[in-house]
Amino acid sequence: MGLIIYLDGKFVDESEAKISIFDHGLLYGDGVFEGLRSYNGKIFKLDEHLIRLYKSAKAISLEIPLKFDEMKNAVIETVRKNNLRDSYIRIVVTRGVGDLGLDPRKCKKPTIFIIASKIQLYPESIYEKGIDIVTVPTRRNLSESLNPSIKSLNYLNNILAKIEANNAGASEGLILNQFGYVSECTGENIFIIKENFLITPPIYAGALEGITRRVVMDIGENIGLKVIEENITRYDIYTCDECFLTGTAAEIVPVVIVDNRIIGDGKPGKLTLKIRKEFHLITEIEGTPVYE
Ligand code: PXG
């Protein structure tokens, strides 16, 4: 027995969780997704992730054939059926099965699947030592073309950036938008700390409205930092006191080298570590219980 997967209203073994080669999610990347986590039997920020999922779907004119609460129950049930306490959860909604043309009107029913799996934790060393990132040549998609706020199945913009970061031997790629301002990394938002300012690029710079980003902004306020969303350049990063990335899977990752420039004293920053600690306190207590 493998994982138990939610697929179009049924729970099936992963060996039976198959979708058609005519599914437009596969043929065209036509669909949306979310990545969530559960901590100690509670799903973190479930509503926020589902709200973002439904917004992404709306933006691409995809009507999800489940009501919000039905989707919520499906997610909870998937985690429960797999007996998981700490997990990574992936929700995918595709345009569904159509023909070889790209017209979405041919797709009569969206495909929905939910995977709840053991979380692959990042090695502790990356949090202790921090990571190095590098600016990549690929620019962020234009908002007027494919808005980066849409968490769509078309992630090639991010994947190309990831390939470029890999080729450069770096842990992550820093993506700039068409104006040369920083947007984010390939699957994480970016923050810098300068004096008592906690700064992150605005959504219109091409950043995803990250759920972890929001939590970190709130933590920043609570610990007395001035939190601002404003355009930042690479210069701002090179000369900041501390830098870190945020995302559901990676949580809060200190960045110690950017384009060969050492950030601060080359070690994870004190405030970064404090924010990381506060974040863990929140994930310990908050969340939608799976087993009650
Ligand atoms: N930016 C982008 C482009 C993302 O896809 C984040 C920021 C962080 O958002 P949250 O809400 O998680 O704080 C994401 C989401 C991966 C992977 O394998 C990462 C995401 C999605 C899918 C895969 O690294 N992160």
Side-chain angles (χ1 to χ4, degrees):
M1 277 277 281
L3 293 173
I4 296 167
I5 310 292
Y6 173 96
L7 176 60
D8 291 332
K10 297 196 183 85
F11 289 96
V12 297
D13 187 83
E14 67 174 77
S15 61
E16 291 157 35
K18 303 222 164 90
I19 64 164
S20 165
I21 54 165
F22 291 99
D23 193 301
H24 280 206
L26 175 63
L27 287 177
Y28 299 113
D30 185 356
V32 294
F33 77 104
E34 268 303 320
L36 307 75
R37 240 173 122 149
S38 74
Y39 291 88
N40 196 24
K42 296 191 293 310
I43 303 172
F44 190 59
K45 301 283 176 198
L46 176 55
D47 279 15
E48 287 79 352
H49 280 281
L50 292 184
I51 289 167
R52 191 170 68 185
L53 178 76
Y54 279 78
K55 280 190 193 164
S56 293
K58 186 171 188 185
I60 66 162
S61 287
L62 171 60
E63 198 176 328
I64 300 179
L66 284 186
K67 292 197 189 79
F68 191 89
D69 282 345
E70 293 171 332
M71 180 65 86
K72 200 165 165 174
N73 288 335
V75 174
I76 295 169
E77 201 51 35
T78 309
V79 178
R80 190 183 295 146
K81 286 220 184 312
N82 286 283
N83 250 317
L84 293 161
R85 293 198 73 79
D86 295 290
S87 69
Y88 185 76
I89 306 157
R90 178 63 56 92
I91 310 172
V92 179
V93 184
T94 80
R95 189 76 63 182
V97 174
D99 62 18
L100 288 176
L102 54 81
D103 192 341
R105 289 176 301 187
K106 297 280 171 57
C107 306
K108 297 299 173 206
K109 190 169 76 63
T111 303
I112 303 175
F113 58 89
I114 305 168
I115 307 166
S117 181
K118 281 217 177 75
I119 175 93
Q120 299 263 332
L121 294 176
Y122 287 69
E124 196 47 39
S125 58
I126 75 157
Y127 300 103
E128 283 160 11
K129 292 197 201 122
I131 61 165
D132 65 314
I133 66 175
V134 68
T135 308
V136 295
T138 292
R139 295 286 173 120
R140 172 52 84 217
N141 281 332
L142 295 179
S143 299
E144 305 90 310
S145 305
L146 178 55
N147 195 311
S149 288
I150 304 170
K151 228 171 138 48
S152 83
L153 292 181
N154 191 320
Y155 247 44
L156 274 173
N157 185 228
N158 309 52
I159 291 164
L160 291 175
K162 188 77 186 175
I163 291 168
E164 289 159 355
N166 291 346
N167 289 346
S171 313
E172 252 303 331
L174 179 68
I175 307 171
L176 308 179
N177 63 24
Q178 75 269 32
F179 304 114
Y181 289 115
V182 171
S183 59
E184 57 179 349
C185 286
T186 67
E188 290 94 23
N189 292 108
I190 188 162
F191 283 83
I192 56 172
I193 298 177
K194 259 186 199 203
E195 294 160 4
N196 64 334
F197 289 97
L198 178 64
I199 312 166
T200 194
I203 302 310
Y204 67 76
L208 184 79
E209 198 164 359
I211 310 290
T212 320
R213 174 182 181 273
R214 180 78 258 161
V215 176
V216 163
M217 288 167 77
D218 293 344
I219 293 172
E221 298 225 325
N222 288 338
I223 64 171
L225 295 171
K226 294 200 174 76
V227 181
I228 44 179
E229 291 175 81
E230 69 178 18
N231 274 324
I232 61 174
T233 62
R234 287 191 294 162
Y235 171 85
D236 295 319
I237 302 189
Y238 298 159
T239 58
C240 74
D241 302 329
E242 301 186 23
C243 177
F244 62 87
L245 310 182
T246 65
T248 295
E251 300 177 326
I252 291 150
V253 187
V255 174
V256 293
I257 299 178
V258 181
D259 296 338
N260 266 335
R261 277 79 160 180
I262 292 171
I263 304 302
D265 61 2
K267 297 200 192 83
K270 282 200 182 67
L271 289 166
T272 302
L273 295 178
K274 187 176 167 82
I275 291 169
R276 188 173 147 72
K277 207 169 139 205
E278 293 291 321
F279 180 78
H280 282 145
L281 292 176
I282 296 171
T283 57
E284 271 303 298
I285 51 170
E286 271 190 26
T288 306
V290 173
Y291 299 100
E292 284 168 19

